[in-house]
Every structure is written in structure tokens, then in C-alpha cells.
Amino acid sequence: MAEHESLEFGKADFVLLDNVSMEEFMANLKLRFEKGRIYTYIGEVVVSVNPYRAMNIYGRDTVEQYKGRELYERPPHLFAIADAAYKAMKRRNKDTCIVISGESGAGKTEASKYIMQYIAAITNPNQRAEVERVKNMLLKSNCVLEAFGNAKTNRNDNSSRFGKYMDINFDFKGDPIGGHISNYLLEKKCVNLDFICFFFLFFLYLLTQLLRGAPDSLLRSLHIQKDPAAYNYIKVGGHIKVVHSVKNTQTYSESSHLTSVKLSLQGNLTFGVDGDVTLIENTKLVSVLRELLSTKEENVEKALLYRTVATGRDVIEKQHTEQEASYGRDALAKAMYERLFCWIVGRINDIIEVKNYDARVHGKNTVIGVLDIYGFEIFQNNSFEQFCINYCNEKLQQLFIQLVLKQEQEEYQREGIPWKHIDYFNNQIIVDLVEQQHKGIFSVLDEACMNVGKVTDEVFLQGLNGKLAKHAHYTSRKLSPTDKNLEFDRDFRIRHYAGDVVYSVVGFIDKNKDTLFQDFKRLLYNSSNTVLKAMWPEGKLSITEVTKRPLTAATLFKNSMISLVENLACKEPYYVRCIKPNDVKSPLLFEIERCRHQVEYLGLLENVRVRRAGFAYRQTYPRFLQRYKMISEFTWPNHDLPSDREAVKKLMQGCGFDHDAAYGKTKVFIRTPRTLFSLEEQRAEMVQRIVLFLQKVWRGTIARMRYRRMRAALVILQAYRRYKVKSYIREVNRRFKNVRSMKDYGRHVKWPTPPKVLRKFEEALRSIHSRWWAWTLIKGLSPEETLQVRAKVACLEALKGQRADLGLQRAWEGNYLKRDSPDTAASFTLVSSELQRKDKFMRVLFSSNVRKINRFHKAEDRAVLITDRHLYKMDPLKQYKPMKSIPLYNVTGLSVSPGKDQLVVFHTKDSRDLVVCLQGMVPANESRIGELVGTLLGHFKSAQSSHEPECSFNLSYEFFGKAGINFASDRRSGEKHGYRLHA
């Protein structure tokens, strides 16, 4: 049952009462009202008590608490019943309706607003623009209809003077896509067209909030004064009857939409008599009226003062008496009010109706209906409107009895479920009293209206007395002469389900007939205003044309009620029963007797008894299995038991709910909502597991499909790559097939562009080819040429990119003293031969004239001879006499500059560096630095000596342990550096 409320607030569900009695029912209702709990359950019926104050229980946080919850998961609330109706519609694809009933002032209209607000709030999580438009139209249409159809009564400040049934259409996803509004019996007794000049624009003015804020120029153009007191028909006895709703302080921004106006029976347009002629006293209003009705002034005056009557082919204009003119004026006011209201409803329906919906494409269009209709009324003077309103409530009560009480008991008997019969009042007898053919009150009223000659309300009452004299629920003063509460020839009493009501027959005949003269219909049909013209289509009929008698107001209303009940009966109903706690609109006062009377006529106590004796839920076996079969292993996915009944029984036993269920012939019955809630919980859990299983299977299928596609793509890719590799290899083979016979051994051959996967392979191939090409070139060289090639390679490795001219393009002679100084060549040859004999060197590596710089920074001409064992410094002026001999193994490095100079520094182990500058070259601009570096490096590499000099760029040197200066600097970067060969 209802949870999450402490017992200090009473029982949240009347079904939980210890004893089902009126005293306990009222005590629980009073306690909850005083504790601020205005909603209470009777099973799935919500009992609502008007709090007469604003309550913070309708916000977004409250919506989230009830969204998607089962009915009994949260405390009683309108949102719970609205969510239940929405879920039933969405889950079972079935139309539902919410019937809101109760007397005037019980809060039915507010309840319908909150229900629509909730339905709008829980739909469409994606907030699509079209759905939002429909929601806003559905909600805002309430304001428009209230502005025109509500009024102050002595029981309610904002009473609905019309009945409204709204269908909200939903698509298969549960999003609202449109709606339709039906209105019933707009009460017109509060309207009188004393002067249409104000009436017709008054409501439009009210609707657009002009009454309190329009500029004077606009008011003048509309012929409207800002002060409502200037108009007789909106004041009674000198008092203005403009009353704002209870929510006025909160919603005055919508002031015109929520304002009810009581129009008086007095008018500004009056008539007088001059002899036998009836005249309009305030003729200026006729011209204003002509302008507002967009017609001719003479036609307006003629319609007000004359009536055109056709007798055969003759047409007669009959002048009205003063009384007849006033009667016609009043009838026109009421008719315009009614048709304007119906036109507004039609316009709203045009906007909110479902458009471009194809059930074959979009699925079934489901509906939630919300009925907000006038409540049962008992006034001091009850006329035709109250009679129709109370008849409507009788029909709705009969529907409630049939659906909730009578059908409940009959279904148990039909299904063979043990049941204790509960007595209840069946008000079908009262419904028949009103609507039965030939005997009902409506039939007697219609017969009286169709009689020829002068028909009065007294004649109608006599007809009632004649046909209903023996009816237990009807009486009059003639039938009960001693009952002084009834007036002779005026009153009759109906014993309704809600209590006895005395009706006055005064005005029944006039209100039932179509009392508007045809002249007014033709006048308005011929208006140049297209809206007015569309409201009066029958005005196009010729004066002499014979037509059928129009249906009376009673017959139209009876037909609409029958249609409404049939519409509700085909939907799954949910009920909100509204109770008015007091007549003074106090948020603190709870009148026991006042509320007891409403509880009695609403049949709430009988509802509790039926609920206590019956079952909360019932469903046919196939539909039950369809929803819950996944819970049991015996029924999922399909059962093999003898029948669906046995399968459902097995399912309930497996879940441990067999004690709370009964099994009928075609349906399973579940006693408590908690069991149904537990079934829903288990189903939700299993649905989640089933969804996960389906997702797993589907994802596996998708993965296998992707794997097959990827594998196929990989096979294609591998084949393509093999093709590209083979194509590349074939192309390389084709291009380099004859390189052995080529003059440059394929050096000029352009390599084909390889695929990305073979780029490293191409690099390897290029390296192999380069090595083969180099080996092919050097394998035919002499030993001397081989040494020279190695020296050049060593030079290139050490100095590539560091000096502009390395002398690689010329042949390296090595021993240049003989060529550069032919005059002294003989002396050099003699000295070198003597040194070879003495030091046993094998060959001369390098020789050249140099300019030597000593430790005192003085330059002297010298010669350098480098053999494979020593470095000799010679004096060329003394027949190349050796001045210094440095073993090569003492040479630790060689430094050169990056410029064009020929400066060389030989670094030694004893730090006595030799600094020279090559000179005397023939030709003069020949660079020999590269040859010197390459020859030394080549020598050490060919000798495979571990003592191999290293190249650097530091040109610093030392003499006898003392640091020297830097000889050169890189002019590009400004850094002092050179080449240094380190051992």
C-alpha cells in the first residue's frame, strides 16, 4: 500500500482503515487535512481536499519523485495517478482517462491543471521543438478558456461555467503530438447584451490584457472605457463583480487569463415607447454597434426593433414591443457569447489537433483524456443550468458505479471468484428520470417547447406532474401539498444521489428553445467581419425557406453527455474525487457534516468496501504471461504447460505470491498492490538482463561481422601489398639488371619509388648497391690507388661539410717538395734517402713547404716531411736539414681551420705542438689540408693502429706546457674553432 508516510499523518490509503465506517473515514480525512496531507488513496482512486492555500508540492523536484514510479511507491498525490495513467497508456498501448469529479469549489479545475502540467513535464526528454509547442498549447489553452468560461459564484471565486474534456494524443514513443477539447453547456445566464458594443470586444480585451494597461487612443478606437463601472451589465446593485482567482497574487502576470467576470442582467442599450412605437433610447450606441459588427446601421436598428415573419409566400415585418425588443437583445447577447466561446474552442482545436499523422508509419495514436466538468450544485434558486449540471454529475456517478462498483462485483461473479456482495446506491433510476424517452424530464420539456400556441413554464410543470407523479425521486407542491418548501406552479424537487434539489421552472422553456430571432442570424451572417460571418452559417437561409426545427438545448446537452460517457467507458479510467472542506474558503476549517455529505454522494465509503473485499489488479492470462513470463523459468520464453492458467499459477507459486492471488476462468486476480509492485520489480530486473543478453548476442554478431570484414580487408590488403612488393622488386630488377655492363655501374639509374612498407628495404638495397658499386670500382685499383682512395674517404668522413675545398677531385701526390721546389729537389731527395736509411720508414706520406710559427709568435720558412714513422721539420735554406723529428705515435691530434687558409696544428704528447701554414703550392691556390688530414687518417686506419688521431675544431696549441692563442675563427658564427685530430 502507500508508503513513506508516518502514521502521525493518518492512513494514506482508506483501504487500511481498521474499521470501514463513516466515523473512521471522516476522522482520517480530517486528520490528514489538518496535517497538510490533502491527498489520500482509495486503492487507485485519489481523494483530494481543496486546501484553499498555495502548497509547494508541485515543483520539478516533486515531478522527479513520481516519474516512472508505481502508484504505491510514493505518498498519495495527483502526480501518482497521472503517472499511472501515462504508464498504462504507454505500456499497454491503451487509451486512458482521468475523471475529476466533485462539487463546485472542490478544486477540480486546479487538479486538471496539475495533471496536465505533470504529463507535459515527464514526456520528451530530448525536448524537441514540436513536442514543446504542443505541450505549451495544451497548458496555455486552459488560461484562454478560463478567461471566457469561468465566473464568480456564491460558492467559488473562479467557478467553471462550462464542462471541458480534453484528449491528449501521444505517438508510439509517448510524446504528446496534439489534442482536442470538447466543451459542454456553457452557462449563459450571466451574460446579457445590453449593448454589444462593449460585450463583443470585452472578452477579446480581457484576453489580451488590455483592461488594465491599454493606452487611451486604443481604448477610444475600440469604444471602450477603462472604468468597468461604466457598464451596467458587469455590476449588480451598483457593485462591480470583477473578482480575481485565488491564485491572483501569484499569477497576475496572466491577470486577464485568470479573471472571472460576472455580467449583469442590466444593459446600456435600452428601449422606450412613443405611443404604439418602440424606440431605441440611446441611439448613439447603434452606430457604435454597427461599426463593431461590420454591418449597416439601418440593418442593426431594424433587427433590434422588428421581426420578419414569412406566411407562405408573403413576408411580414412585425414590430417588437418593448418587452420583446429587450428579450431579443438579451437572446442575442447570450447567443454571441456562446458562439464566440465555441469559436475560440474550435480555434484552439485547429492549433493543437494532430497533424500529418499516419498510423501506418508512426504507430498507434494513443490518448489520455482529462475531464474537468462542473460539480454538483445546490443553490437557493436553481434553474435550467443547475438541472443540466446536476444531470451531468448523475451520468458521471453512474459511470463510476458501473466501472468501479457494479462491474467489479459482476466480474468476480463471472470469473467464479468468491465474493461477498456489497450494497450500493445505483443512480440509474435518476438518470432515467432525466433522459428516458417519452417519460424523462428532457422529453417532457421538448414536448412543451414544440406545442403550438403560447407555452409557459407552468404548462411544462403540469406535464411533469402528469407523467412523473408516481416516481420516487420526483415531487412538486401539487403532488405534496403540505410541503411548504415548494411553491405552487413554480418548483419541483429531484432526489439526486448527492441530495435533494429544488428547481424553479421559470425560464426552462426559453432556455431550452432556440430563442434567437432569425433576423439577428441574417444580420450577423451578412457582416463583413469574416469571424462573425463564420459563426452564423444558418443566416444564409432565405426568409421563406422551410427548415427543420433545431434541436433544443436539453437534447443537445443530453446527446453530448451520452457521447461523453461512451467515450470515457471505452478507456481505462482513473479517478480523482475532489472534496470541498468548507464554504468560507478557509485553509484551516474542516466542516465534518459538509464533508460527510460529499463523501456520501461520491460513494467513497462503498468504494472502500469494494476495494477491501476485492482485488487490486486483474488481467487475462495471455496478457499477464506476455508481461511477466520472463520472471519464471517455466514460462520463459514459452511454456509447455496444459494452459495459460496453469502457467500463470506456476509463475505465481514460483515467486511466492500464490497466497495473494485468485485464479478465475479467464483472468488472474491479485489482491494487494504490493504483489503487483514486486512483480513489476522482478520484471524490470529481468528485462534489464534480457536486454543485456540481447545486447551481448547482437554485439557478438556485430563483432563477428566486423571481424569477417576486417579479415577480408586484411586478405585484400596483404595481397595488394604482396603485389606492390613484387612489382617493386621486378622494377628494381629490370632497372639494375645490366649494371655490370654499364660504364658507371648503374650510378645514373633512378631508383623506383617504393611502397611505404619497403622504405627501409629500399634503404638497405641502396646501401648494398652502393657497397657493391664501391667494391666494383676499387677492386681494380693498384695498391697506391687503393691507399689514395682510402685517404680520400677518411678525409671525407672527417671534414665533409666543414671545408669548402678538400681537393678530392685531383690526384693526391703526397710528396710535393720535389714538384714545388725543383731547384732544391736534389737536396731533398738526398736528405730523404738518408732519413729512410736511418729511420727505416717505408714510404713518404706527405711533404710540403710551410711557414712555421714558433713559440715567440715569429714566422719562419720551413719544410715538413711526414713518413709512415716520423714527422720531420726541415730547413729548406740549409738543404733541408732536419731540425726536428717527431715519431708519429707521439702525434695526438691535428687541428685545422674551416676557412680557406692552410693552417695546421700538430698536437704532440709532450704538448710541444707544431704550428705551420702550408705554402709554396704549385699551382698557388691548390688546397692540401684535406690531403694532409686524409693521408694521416688513412695511414692509421690501414695500419690498424689503436693510436688513431681524432679531428676537432679547437685551434688552440701549447708550447712547452704553455697555452697558445687561437689562430682562426668561424666568421659565420663568431665562434673560435678548427679541426683537431685526437689520438
Short mmCIF file of all heavy atoms in Angstrom, two decimals, residues 42-64:
data_model
loop_
_atom_site.label_atom_id
_atom_site.label_comp_id
_atom_site.label_asym_id
_atom_site.label_seq_id
_atom_site.Cartn_x
_atom_site.Cartn_y
_atom_site.Cartn_z
N ILE A 42 -7.86 5.64 -2.27
CA ILE A 42 -8.75 4.50 -2.06
C ILE A 42 -8.38 3.53 -3.16
O ILE A 42 -8.92 3.55 -4.27
CB ILE A 42 -10.24 4.87 -2.17
CG1 ILE A 42 -10.61 5.94 -1.17
CG2 ILE A 42 -11.10 3.63 -1.95
CD1 ILE A 42 -12.06 6.39 -1.26
N GLY A 43 -7.40 2.71 -2.90
CA GLY A 43 -6.86 1.87 -3.96
C GLY A 43 -6.21 2.75 -5.01
O GLY A 43 -5.21 3.41 -4.75
N GLU A 44 -6.80 2.78 -6.20
CA GLU A 44 -6.26 3.58 -7.29
C GLU A 44 -7.07 4.86 -7.52
O GLU A 44 -6.90 5.52 -8.53
CB GLU A 44 -6.21 2.76 -8.57
CG GLU A 44 -5.23 1.59 -8.49
CD GLU A 44 -5.16 0.82 -9.79
OE1 GLU A 44 -5.96 1.11 -10.69
OE2 GLU A 44 -4.30 -0.07 -9.89
N VAL A 45 -7.95 5.20 -6.58
CA VAL A 45 -8.70 6.45 -6.63
C VAL A 45 -8.04 7.43 -5.68
O VAL A 45 -7.66 7.08 -4.56
CB VAL A 45 -10.17 6.22 -6.23
CG1 VAL A 45 -10.93 7.54 -6.17
CG2 VAL A 45 -10.84 5.25 -7.20
N VAL A 46 -7.86 8.67 -6.15
CA VAL A 46 -7.27 9.71 -5.31
C VAL A 46 -8.38 10.62 -4.79
O VAL A 46 -9.18 11.16 -5.57
CB VAL A 46 -6.24 10.55 -6.10
CG1 VAL A 46 -5.78 11.74 -5.26
CG2 VAL A 46 -5.05 9.70 -6.47
N VAL A 47 -8.44 10.75 -3.46
CA VAL A 47 -9.37 11.69 -2.82
C VAL A 47 -8.60 12.98 -2.55
O VAL A 47 -7.57 12.97 -1.86
CB VAL A 47 -9.93 11.11 -1.52
CG1 VAL A 47 -10.88 12.12 -0.86
CG2 VAL A 47 -10.65 9.79 -1.78
N SER A 48 -9.08 14.09 -3.10
CA SER A 48 -8.39 15.38 -2.99
C SER A 48 -9.26 16.37 -2.23
O SER A 48 -10.43 16.56 -2.55
CB SER A 48 -8.07 15.93 -4.38
OG SER A 48 -7.60 17.25 -4.31
N VAL A 49 -8.68 17.00 -1.19
CA VAL A 49 -9.39 18.03 -0.42
C VAL A 49 -8.80 19.38 -0.78
O VAL A 49 -7.59 19.57 -0.74
CB VAL A 49 -9.25 17.77 1.09
CG1 VAL A 49 -10.04 18.81 1.88
CG2 VAL A 49 -9.72 16.36 1.44
N ASN A 50 -9.65 20.31 -1.14
CA ASN A 50 -9.18 21.66 -1.52
C ASN A 50 -8.51 22.33 -0.33
O ASN A 50 -9.15 22.55 0.70
CB ASN A 50 -10.37 22.50 -2.00
CG ASN A 50 -9.93 23.78 -2.69
OD1 ASN A 50 -8.80 24.24 -2.52
ND2 ASN A 50 -10.83 24.35 -3.49
N PRO A 51 -7.22 22.67 -0.43
CA PRO A 51 -6.53 23.26 0.73
C PRO A 51 -6.78 24.76 0.89
O PRO A 51 -6.44 25.32 1.92
CB PRO A 51 -5.06 23.00 0.41
CG PRO A 51 -5.00 23.04 -1.08
CD PRO A 51 -6.30 22.46 -1.58
N TYR A 52 -7.30 25.41 -0.12
CA TYR A 52 -7.52 26.86 -0.10
C TYR A 52 -6.25 27.63 0.25
O TYR A 52 -6.31 28.67 0.92
CB TYR A 52 -8.64 27.23 0.88
CG TYR A 52 -10.01 26.86 0.35
CD1 TYR A 52 -10.79 25.91 0.99
CD2 TYR A 52 -10.52 27.45 -0.81
CE1 TYR A 52 -12.04 25.55 0.50
CE2 TYR A 52 -11.77 27.11 -1.30
CZ TYR A 52 -12.52 26.16 -0.64
OH TYR A 52 -13.75 25.80 -1.14
N ARG A 53 -5.13 27.15 -0.19
CA ARG A 53 -3.86 27.86 0.00
C ARG A 53 -2.84 27.26 -0.96
O ARG A 53 -3.01 26.14 -1.46
CB ARG A 53 -3.34 27.73 1.44
CG ARG A 53 -3.09 26.30 1.90
CD ARG A 53 -2.78 26.25 3.40
NE ARG A 53 -2.71 24.90 3.90
CZ ARG A 53 -1.59 24.20 4.00
NH1 ARG A 53 -0.43 24.75 3.65
NH2 ARG A 53 -1.59 22.96 4.49
N ALA A 54 -1.79 28.02 -1.22
CA ALA A 54 -0.73 27.54 -2.10
C ALA A 54 0.12 26.52 -1.36
O ALA A 54 0.46 26.72 -0.19
CB ALA A 54 0.14 28.71 -2.57
N MET A 55 0.46 25.44 -2.04
CA MET A 55 1.27 24.39 -1.44
C MET A 55 2.44 24.07 -2.36
O MET A 55 2.27 23.91 -3.58
CB MET A 55 0.44 23.13 -1.20
CG MET A 55 -0.76 23.35 -0.29
SD MET A 55 -1.60 21.81 0.15
CE MET A 55 -0.40 21.08 1.25
N ASN A 56 3.61 23.95 -1.76
CA ASN A 56 4.83 23.71 -2.53
C ASN A 56 5.03 22.20 -2.75
O ASN A 56 5.99 21.60 -2.29
CB ASN A 56 6.04 24.31 -1.81
CG ASN A 56 7.30 24.24 -2.64
OD1 ASN A 56 7.24 24.20 -3.86
ND2 ASN A 56 8.45 24.21 -1.99
N ILE A 57 4.10 21.60 -3.47
CA ILE A 57 4.19 20.15 -3.72
C ILE A 57 4.00 19.83 -5.20
O ILE A 57 3.66 18.70 -5.55
CB ILE A 57 3.14 19.38 -2.88
CG1 ILE A 57 1.72 19.90 -3.18
CG2 ILE A 57 3.45 19.48 -1.39
CD1 ILE A 57 0.62 19.09 -2.53
N TYR A 58 4.25 20.83 -6.05
CA TYR A 58 4.05 20.59 -7.48
C TYR A 58 5.26 20.99 -8.30
O TYR A 58 5.17 21.11 -9.52
CB TYR A 58 2.82 21.38 -7.97
CG TYR A 58 1.56 21.11 -7.18
CD1 TYR A 58 1.09 22.02 -6.25
CD2 TYR A 58 0.86 19.92 -7.36
CE1 TYR A 58 -0.06 21.77 -5.51
CE2 TYR A 58 -0.29 19.66 -6.64
CZ TYR A 58 -0.74 20.58 -5.71
OH TYR A 58 -1.88 20.32 -4.98
N GLY A 59 6.42 21.19 -7.65
CA GLY A 59 7.60 21.63 -8.37
C GLY A 59 8.30 20.52 -9.12
O GLY A 59 7.88 19.36 -9.13
N ARG A 60 9.42 20.88 -9.75
CA ARG A 60 10.16 19.93 -10.57
C ARG A 60 10.72 18.78 -9.74
O ARG A 60 10.76 17.63 -10.20
CB ARG A 60 11.32 20.67 -11.27
CG ARG A 60 12.09 19.80 -12.25
CD ARG A 60 11.24 19.44 -13.45
NE ARG A 60 11.73 18.25 -14.14
CZ ARG A 60 11.19 17.75 -15.24
NH1 ARG A 60 10.15 18.34 -15.79
NH2 ARG A 60 11.69 16.69 -15.81
N ASP A 61 11.12 19.07 -8.50
CA ASP A 61 11.65 18.00 -7.65
C ASP A 61 10.57 16.98 -7.32
O ASP A 61 10.84 15.77 -7.27
CB ASP A 61 12.25 18.59 -6.38
CG ASP A 61 11.26 19.47 -5.62
OD1 ASP A 61 10.29 19.92 -6.26
OD2 ASP A 61 11.47 19.70 -4.42
N THR A 62 9.34 17.46 -7.12
CA THR A 62 8.23 16.53 -6.86
C THR A 62 7.92 15.70 -8.10
O THR A 62 7.62 14.50 -8.01
CB THR A 62 6.99 17.31 -6.42
OG1 THR A 62 7.33 18.18 -5.33
CG2 THR A 62 5.90 16.36 -5.95
N VAL A 63 7.97 16.33 -9.26
CA VAL A 63 7.75 15.58 -10.51
C VAL A 63 8.75 14.43 -10.62
O VAL A 63 8.39 13.30 -10.95
CB VAL A 63 7.88 16.53 -11.72
CG1 VAL A 63 7.88 15.73 -13.03
CG2 VAL A 63 6.75 17.54 -11.73
N GLU A 64 10.03 14.69 -10.31
CA GLU A 64 11.05 13.65 -10.41
C GLU A 64 10.81 12.53 -9.42
O GLU A 64 11.16 11.37 -9.67
CB GLU A 64 12.44 14.26 -10.19
CG GLU A 64 12.89 15.21 -11.29
CD GLU A 64 12.96 14.52 -12.64
OE1 GLU A 64 13.33 13.33 -12.69
OE2 GLU A 64 12.62 15.17 -13.65
#
